[in-house]
Structures are given as structure tokens and as C-alpha cells.
Amino acid sequence: MNPPKTDARRHHDPEVRGFASDNYAGAHPEVLAALAVANGGHQVAYGEDDYTENLQRIIRSHFGATAEAFPVFNGTGANVVALQAVTDRWGAVICAESAHINVDEGGAPERMGGLKLLTVPTPDGKLTPELIDRQAYGWEDEHRAMPQVVSITQSTELGTLYTPDEIRAICEHAHARGMRVHLDGSRIANAAASLDVPMRTFTNAVGVDILSLGGTKNGALFGEAVVVLNQDAVSHMKHLRKLSMQLASKMRFVSVQLEALLAKDLWLRNARHANEMAQRLAEGVRAVHGVEILYPVQANGVFARLPHDVSERLQKRFRFYFWDEAAGVVRWMCAFDTTEDDVDRFVAALKEEMAR
């Protein structure tokens, strides 16, 4: 069969790069090739296809023999489904104040998931057992939402990392109080690459019960997964995913993308490159007088403070976001397709704007 003709036209300049989000990047060519392989012919819908079945084998190779993946459309959906799976109707989730589930999901965990978020201010985006205890109380108080889950993010929203021992301490602390642990892993690949350890080292090996596995920020076109690590912690995941509008009819096209990333080392190559570009960016920025890097650069993000007018001028040349506009704090993110030239041009532009 000859390739079909299309009237589609490119509406953007593929040479344009920014530092606003790793979501801005396109899909990795190997992922697009995998989608083409999965296309054609008929496969059973709603997850009973060969690609979703094979994804389970791959997930178990990363997270252990009892792990089970439930592909979903997006990260917010993954988080809402995962948190619903480990809470009762009266349950609450303890998280960092800066957590994505609290700041960037439009209230979905509370409005759509029907659960309460109990937030804790942190200096670096990371929870500790001591910080958790600020909200871990009142289980028998019917006037207070019951703390049932601790949710952490790896890497955090501030670009910092938990060590495996830190996550182990959180899990032991939470479990001793009858709570489960959820890990938001939208950038789990960047964390594993930076720590130079397998993903299991800071998930199932240290007690995490359920995680949201990211794909989009690491080169997928779309799609994430909820990975159940502790089968005793959840029930009726299939029904919950459907109820939450996260069941893909043509699931093979989500599963094959995760397969392309995880079957070999594409996930790790992409993450390592993004991390390396962030390190290059941080090194260049540190040499610019008047720019302050606020947090350790441990993954693929750089958070900095600089004059507000400089940021506004620079945004006209490169896309990026204010993190805290009142404080002059910005966030610069690198992706799997960020190049050394992209970074160097950005640093040069920053120097020019600072000099003005």
C-alpha cells in the first residue's frame, strides 16, 4: 500500500527552541517510529492488545515482579487516579506546598478526585518525616479529613532530588502511621539518570506503594501510566481508571510509546541529555553577574532570580516562565532535544540583556 497523501502543512519553525518546559519538545523519533509499527491492522481495544500486554513485562523488569501498569492519557490523570486508588472518600493526602498536585493541576485532585490536600511548606520542595508530622494527625477526628497518603515528587517541582534513603525514611514513617506513599514521577527518568541508579532503587525497593510514571516530558507524544507497586494497597484500578475518564480505547498507542522509551535505554539517554544541558545552562548562568541560582541543579531545571525587566526582555527572545514573578524568580527547563548551541545562545542573550 502506498503511503497516504496529506494536506498537512508545517505551521511552526522547527529550529525555534525555548526553556519554558520539557513539554514544549516534540516526540522523540524512536517513539514516532514505534507508533508507526503499532499502526495498521486491528488490535483489541481498551488495553487487551499485544502492546499493552508486553508493556507489563517491561514494567516488571523495572519495578519488580508484582508491578502492574495502567496507561493513562496525561500526568494529572495519572495523579488523580493513583491518589483515588489509595484513599477513602474521607481521606486526605499530605504533600509539599509546591507539589504539582497542589499548584498546577487546577484543583483536579480535590474537585475530581474528591480528596483533601494537606500541604506543608518546604525549603527545597522535599518532604521529611518531621515535615509530614505537621499534618499527620487527627485520624479519629471526624471534623478533619483523615491523612491516608503521603505524596512526594521525584524529581521535585524545584528540580531537587530525594536520595533513596530519604524516600525509605518517608515510607517507613508513613507506613508506621497507617499511610500509603505515592510518588509523582513525571520526571522520574531525570531523577534516575542524575542519581545513576535504577528506578526501582527509590520506588518499590524502599516502600513506595504507587507511582505516576511520566512519558510525555521524556520524549513521548502523549501518555503516562499509573504503576501499582503494592497490590495490597489498591483495588478495582480498572474501574477507577474508566470512572476517571482515563481509559484509552486505542491503548496500544499509549503503551507502545512507553515500550519504546523503557524497553531499552531511550528513557535514560533522553533524561541524561536533558540533565546535562541543565548543568551546562547553570554553569553559564553562574558566570553572569547579578543572576542567582536558587536551588541545586540536580535534574533538568534551573531556577534563578534576576531583575524583572531583564526577564521580560529575555522572554521576547526565548520562551520561559516566571516561577514567582513578585520575587523575580524564573524557571528554565531543558528537554531531550535541547542542544549545546541552544544553551549557549540563551546564555549569550542573558548576558546581553543584563548588560543593558
Side-chain angles (χ1 to χ4, degrees), residues 46 237-247:
Y46 301 111
M237 272 294 299
K238 287 185 177 181
H239 295 83
L240 182 56
R241 177 176 56 180
K242 175 65 173 180
L243 180 68
S244 302
M245 299 173 286
Q246 287 292 318
L247 178 64

Side-chain angles (χ1 to χ4, degrees), residues 18-93:
F19 294 86
S21 173
D22 33 11
N23 282 324
Y24 277 41
H28 193 281
E30 292 181 37
V31 172
L32 292 177
L35 283 165
V37 168
N39 197 27
H42 288 199
Q43 279 275 288
V44 183
Y46 301 111
E48 295 184 45
D49 59 274
D50 295 337
Y51 297 92
T52 303
E53 180 181 352
N54 189 58
L55 176 63
Q56 302 303 331
R57 178 187 62 80
I58 295 168
I59 288 294
R60 290 191 292 271
S61 74
H62 284 284
F63 298 104
T66 62
E68 186 176 6
F70 295 84
V72 296
F73 290 113
N74 54 45
T76 296
N79 285 336
V80 171
V81 170
L83 292 173
Q84 283 182 293
V86 286
T87 53
D88 294 312
R89 286 281 294 162
W90 49 88
V93 177

Side-chain angles (χ1 to χ4, degrees), residues 87-108:
T87 53
D88 294 312
R89 286 281 294 162
W90 49 88
V93 177
I94 299 173
C95 64
E97 193 174 64
S98 58
H100 198 273
I101 58 174
N102 182 52
V103 176
D104 289 305
E105 295 189 349

Side-chain angles (χ1 to χ4, degrees), residues 321-332:
Y321 293 117
F322 279 101
W323 184 257
D324 182 345
E325 188 166 4
V329 178
V330 298
R331 185 191 74 167
W332 300 319

